[in-house]
Structure formats: structure tokens, C-alpha cells
Amino acid sequence: MKIIVKNKFVSWGGSSIVEDEAGNQLYQVKGKAFSWHKKKTLLDMNGNVLYRIRNKWPTFLLHSAYICDKDGNKLCKVKANLSFKHGYVIQETNEDIQVHGYILSGMQVSRNGVYIGTVTKEFWALRDYFVLDVLDGQDPTFLIALVIAIDNIQDKSQGQAS
């Protein structure tokens, strides 16, 4: 299943559109304007909260983000991998989540040793545009939350506000 996550062209809080290949909206991402933590919420189409994502603050060199459940309980911490392996490090979780590769050619995501999908960033668009290829039978919502956390980290490392 392919899922597209693209930032809205104009958005005060960094909201995004999540849709399938045919352009059908699947989820909503609402960003909070003027937030120190760059808070975003992943919602289903009925407005129910699925995940909350926020940047760690304050940070100086190593930017990171937290993925929280609907009640705000931390599920994991996501940060850029500074070793020779490319991708992101997922910490503070009871599952083994691995993200390896380059964002341009596709980062492979696995959970407990099982491949669950690929995340690729498209640079031809005028806004951030991610393509998720989610393995059949996997719940795509965690991968969407992971993409939002990665986007937050990239924005922070590039000095972008909201």
C-alpha cells in the first residue's frame, strides 16, 4: 500500500495531508502554530487522535522528536543516526524498530526484525512530500507518525520554524 504524506502549501502550524495513491484522504495531520516543541497530531478522518508527535526541546546539536500515544504517553524517541550507518535511531521503546538507508533512495523500516515498509522523500515538489510503501497487513499509522517525526527533525536541523 502506497501512502503519500505532503505538507500543506500554506500552513501556520505545519499541517499535512495524508492520502493514498488515488488522492483519497486517509488521515489528517494538524500542527500547532507557535509551538516550541513543533507539536503535531495524527488524526483519523473522524477527528480521533491516533498519535502525538513533538520535538525534544531544548536541543543544541542533536535534534530529536518523540512519538506519543493519543494520551501523550511517550512511545519512542526518534533521532538522526550520526554513525556511518544512515537513517534514524529509535530509542526508548519496548520494540526493536530499525530505520536504515537514505531518505532519497528509500529508508527501510523494520519492527522486531520484520520489514514493515519504506519511506522516501520526493524533492521535486515545492513542499515536503514523502512516499510510504507499507507492507500488506501492517498498520500504516505508526509509519506515518515516524515520517512526521523525521520531517520535524529535518526542519529543526535546517533551522525552519513551525
Side-chain angles (χ1 to χ4, degrees):
M1 167 186 221
K2 285 203 189 273
I3 297 174
I4 314 303
V5 179
K6 53 187 172 182
N7 290 354
K8 289 186 176 180
F9 198 68
V10 177
S11 170
W12 283 100
S15 297
S16 302
I17 299 167
V18 181
E19 55 191 29
D20 62 16
E21 289 179 280
N24 301 310
Q25 191 167 353
L26 302 173
Y27 302 97
Q28 306 171 54
V29 178
K30 303 246 179 193
K32 184 175 181 183
F34 309 112
S35 168
W36 289 106
H37 297 283
K38 194 167 181 154
K39 294 178 182 177
K40 295 184 181 176
T41 306
L42 176 62
L43 306 121
D44 65 16
M45 293 309 295
N46 294 322
N48 298 311
V49 175
L50 303 173
Y51 289 99
R52 297 180 189 280
I53 301 93
R54 66 177 180 83
N55 282 4
K56 182 177 184 270
W57 190 84
T59 59
F60 301 102
L61 297 175
L62 295 176
H63 303 292
S64 57
Y66 294 111
I67 299 176
C68 304
D69 65 15
K70 63 181 181 174
D71 298 318
N73 302 310
K74 258 192 276 183
L75 299 175
C76 64
K77 178 181 178 181
V78 181
K79 68 178 192 174
N81 190 353
L82 293 180
S83 71
F84 291 107
K85 298 175 185 175
H86 296 278
Y88 289 81
V89 176
I90 313 300
Q91 300 176 323
E92 302 177 22
T93 179
N94 58 358
E95 297 181 293
D96 178 26
I97 301 170
Q98 302 286 323
V99 181
H100 296 290
Y102 295 95
I103 192 80
L104 290 175
S105 59
M107 295 186 305
Q108 306 295 314
V109 182
S110 64
R111 176 186 276 153
N112 299 323
V114 177
Y115 167 78
I116 61 172
T118 304
V119 177
T120 308
K121 185 173 184 179
E122 302 289 332
F123 282 96
W124 54 268
L126 295 175
R127 55 189 166 179
D128 287 343
Y129 186 101
F130 296 88
V131 178
L132 287 71
D133 192 358
V134 182
L135 190 66
D136 288 340
Q138 295 293 323
D139 178 11
T141 57
F142 178 77
L143 273 178
I144 295 167
L146 183 61
V147 164
I148 296 164
I150 290 170
D151 187 36
N152 273 6
I153 292 167
Q154 288 183 345
D155 289 350
K156 183 71 174 173
S157 68
Q158 295 169 1
Q160 296 179 14
S162 73

